[in-house]
Amino acid sequence: MGKIKVGFIGLGKLGLDCAEVFAEHYEVRGYDPAQRISEAIKVCDVQEVIQDSDWIFIAVPTPHAEGYDGSIPSSHMEPRDFGHEAVIDAITKVNHYATTSKKVVLISTVLPGTTRKHFVTSLNNQHEFLYNPYLIAMGSVKWDMVNPEMIMIGTEDGNPNALAQELIDLYQPMMQNNPRYEIGTWDECEAIKIFYNTFISAKIGLANMIQDFAIRIGNINVDVVTNALARSTQRIMGPKYMTAGMGDAGACHPRDNIALRWLAEEYDIGYDMFDTIMQARELQARNLARFLIDQCNRYNLPIVIHGKAYKPDVPYCIGSYSTLVGYYIREHGLPVVYVDPLADDRDRCLDTIDGPAVFLWAHNRQITYDYTGTQEATRPYCEIQPGSVIVDPWRSVDQNLSGVTVLHYGNTRRS
Ligand SMILES: NC(=O)c1ccc[n+]([C@@H]2O[C@H](COP(=O)([O-])OP(=O)(O)OC[C@H]3O[C@@H](n4cnc5c(N)ncnc54)[C@H](O)[C@@H]3O)[C@@H](O)[C@H]2O)c1
């Protein structure tokens, strides 16, 4: 059996180095409209690349518009998507020149939803398609390629299909670090890739904000502060707080951020990240409230918030996110009640709920107290009558509960 044949469309900063890494194991052809020279791969016309390759990796640009690269101020400008023309062009060429079925792999970066909306619909259905963005940095492309933090493989329904396995097998001899494979829908992999980058931006933005405070306030070496935070592996540098659910709450966090808004103004920092964080928290609560209102209208049931204290097993309702969600429900003109045997604020708190209702499952003991070794799930604070709907923002309540509809808020996968 001859060597597996791999084709690259787009031999730029990413594509050329990656193609050359593939060439250590496979027969590689590549096409680029600009002149490219390589000793490791055969640079040829696009027709030959497509016709003579089993796999076709698309590594063309998905450019930002002029002035949107971050080297000049752009935050005041209208938000814009990346350009898709080069990807569509590459797909059109595959459709045009392919005489057999091809395994098409897109590695360019695009925003969540793009592949499903714009690309897959353009590819002839005799071909198979995966979305496989790379986490690669300039200056270390070849090393990053074979030592990735993870390899994301996006399929239509998020299941590891035969083609995804073939791609893993293709990478296997190339990789030096036995990488983690993350398989999801096209959209999930688009999201993992882009939010990976965004987490880095947010981290840098926060560290540099502390630097700004150090300069303005005095007597602060930013490194003392950021190193202490960097060594905080219990909560900050680790997977804790990476489960989407209810918002930040309690006696300290919301009010700390609210007070820091004052400090940012006092020292004329010039921007207010706390305001952005607090505003996002409020609008996330409003979105959740709207989701509950939709269910209330759909099922014609009243809304009950299950858990009023800011977290399970404590009485404290100070800074409670449940109350914030309740605020937005009431602002919409609908009544809301709470069930929580411990809550120290008994306003609108009931001990029993006599009929079916839409319940917001606000508390999750396992997620909140996981770090202490707690295994026990939250038990219902009242009887849940048949015909009820549970909206679970933590996505951990069993969806097969009899007589009750369980909606996992935040999971919009079809399967
Ligand atoms: N550079 C990186 O470190 C990096 C890392 C991860 C992801 N990415 C993503 O990979 C994609 C490519 O990035 P890059 O840095 O290699 O860009 P680039 O501009 O350096 O390279 C793109 C190449 O594609 C060629 N090209 C343009 N239009 C084409 C077309 N219609 N058909 C065929 N080839 C065409 C260009 O001539 C160029 O050589 C982007 O989506 C980028 O976001 C880049």
Side-chain angles (χ1 to χ4, degrees):
M1 209 175 85
K3 272 190 174 179
I4 292 173
K5 295 177 176 179
V6 173
F8 263 78
I9 299 182
L11 299 171
K13 295 185 286 297
L14 181 71
L16 182 58
D17 277 5
C18 293
E20 288 184 347
V21 173
F22 271 93
E24 291 167 22
H25 299 269
Y26 306 113
E27 184 179 320
V28 181
R29 288 177 177 74
Y31 160 75
D32 198 290
Q35 202 194 356
R36 298 283 181 244
I37 296 165
S38 171
E39 290 187 356
I41 70 163
K42 181 175 182 194
V43 177
C44 53
D45 65 40
V46 70
Q47 181 172 356
E48 181 179 339
V49 169
I50 293 168
Q51 287 182 347
D52 285 358
S53 305
D54 312 307
W55 292 88
I56 295 168
F57 287 80
I58 300 178
V60 298
T62 46
H64 44 266
E66 183 76 27
Y68 281 75
D69 75 340
S71 61
I72 53 167
S74 62
S75 58
H76 61 288
M77 288 167 17
E78 186 198 339
R80 294 185 66 171
D81 194 355
F82 301 130
H84 303 145
E85 295 74 14
V87 178
I88 300 280
D89 179 52
I91 288 173
T92 308
K93 287 190 169 116
V94 173
N95 289 339
H96 185 73
Y97 289 116
T99 48
T100 55
S101 170
K102 302 293 172 188
K103 300 160 188 173
V104 178
V105 181
L106 177 64
I107 64 179
S108 304
T109 306
V110 292
L111 293 180
T114 305
T115 291
R116 195 172 297 267
K117 209 163 160 187
H118 299 292
F119 301 153
V120 176
T121 44
S122 309
L123 184 68
N124 285 354
N125 55 17
Q126 63 157 317
H127 307 298
E128 295 178 275
F129 182 92
L130 294 171
Y131 182 61
N132 173 220
Y134 286 178
L135 291 177
I136 277 182
M138 290 284 83
S140 51
V141 174
K142 285 186 169 166
W143 190 91
D144 287 350
M145 162 104 204
V146 295
N147 293 280
E149 173 147 13
M150 62 177 149
I151 295 182
M152 295 155 268
I153 302 180
T155 65
E156 179 170 11
D157 62 6
N159 290 318
N161 60 21
L163 187 64
Q165 187 55 50
E166 269 192 68
L167 183 60
I168 294 172
D169 295 341
L170 190 74
Y171 281 137
Q172 200 273 331
M174 299 164 58
M175 295 297 152
Q176 292 174 358
N177 69 343
N178 189 21
R180 165 167 59 94
Y181 287 90
E182 297 284 355
I183 303 201
T185 59
W186 298 319
D187 322 69
E188 285 165 348
C189 288
E190 290 162 334
I192 298 170
K193 157 76 195 194
I194 204 95
F195 292 128
Y196 185 98
N197 287 356
T198 268
F199 260 84
I200 295 173
S201 306
K203 244 176 129 167
I204 295 172
L206 283 166
N208 290 351
M209 173 198 70
I210 299 169
Q211 179 167 253
D212 276 347
F213 273 113
I215 296 284
R216 299 291 165 98
I217 297 173
N219 304 300
I220 295 175
N221 176 353
V222 62
D223 296 330
V224 174
V225 181
T226 52
N227 287 338
L229 296 176
R231 287 189 283 266
S232 301
T233 53
Q234 214 178 85
R235 289 195 172 84
I236 301 179
M237 299 299 158
K240 182 115 175 86
Y241 301 116
M242 287 299 284
T243 306
M246 297 290 280
D248 196 12
C252 304
H253 294 199
R255 67 176 220 119
D256 289 353
N257 279 289
I258 292 163
L260 279 162
R261 295 188 55 212
W262 173 84
L263 197 73
E265 211 173 88
E266 176 73 5
Y267 285 96
D268 197 20
I269 293 294
Y271 53 89
D272 187 349
M273 290 171 84
F274 315 105
D275 183 44
T276 306
I277 291 167
M278 293 314 284
Q279 205 183 33
R281 174 183 179 272
E282 286 170 9
L283 296 183
Q284 286 158 4
R286 196 179 71 181
N287 289 340
L288 180 53
R290 286 182 177 172
F291 186 83
L292 290 164
I293 292 165
D294 286 347
Q295 307 320 314
C296 154
N297 292 334
R298 181 168 168 208
Y299 293 95
N300 198 19
L301 295 173
I303 299 175
V304 177
I305 298 186
H306 184 272
K308 188 172 192 190
Y310 83 83
K311 63 178 179 180
D313 297 357
V314 300
Y316 317 116
C317 290
I318 187 166
S320 166
Y321 195 75
S322 293
T323 317
L324 185 63
V325 174
Y327 169 91
Y328 287 114
I329 293 167
R330 291 174 57 212
E331 189 189 60
H332 197 82
L334 285 176
V336 65
V337 294
Y338 302 83
V339 271
D340 189 335
L342 294 181
D344 60 8
D345 171 5
R346 306 305 302 169
D347 182 36
R348 295 186 171 79
C349 244
L350 302 180
D351 296 327
T352 56
I353 302 296
D354 296 332
V358 172
F359 285 89
L360 170 63
W361 214 250
H363 285 177
N364 186 309
R365 293 188 76 239
Q366 278 166 315
I367 289 172
T368 304
Y369 295 113
D370 177 58
Y371 64 103
T372 66
T374 293
Q375 298 294 326
E376 211 186 320
T378 302
R379 275 202 290 269
Y381 299 152
C382 64
E383 207 174 315
I384 310 290
Q385 300 290 341
S388 289
V389 176
I390 293 179
V391 174
D392 177 13
W394 308 100
R395 297 161 303 284
S396 58
V397 175
D398 183 358
Q399 291 194 288
N400 297 317
L401 279 185
S402 80
V404 175
T405 303
V406 177
L407 302 175
H408 283 181
Y409 187 65
N411 182 358
T412 51
R413 256 197 195 205
R414 291 203 198 96
S415 57

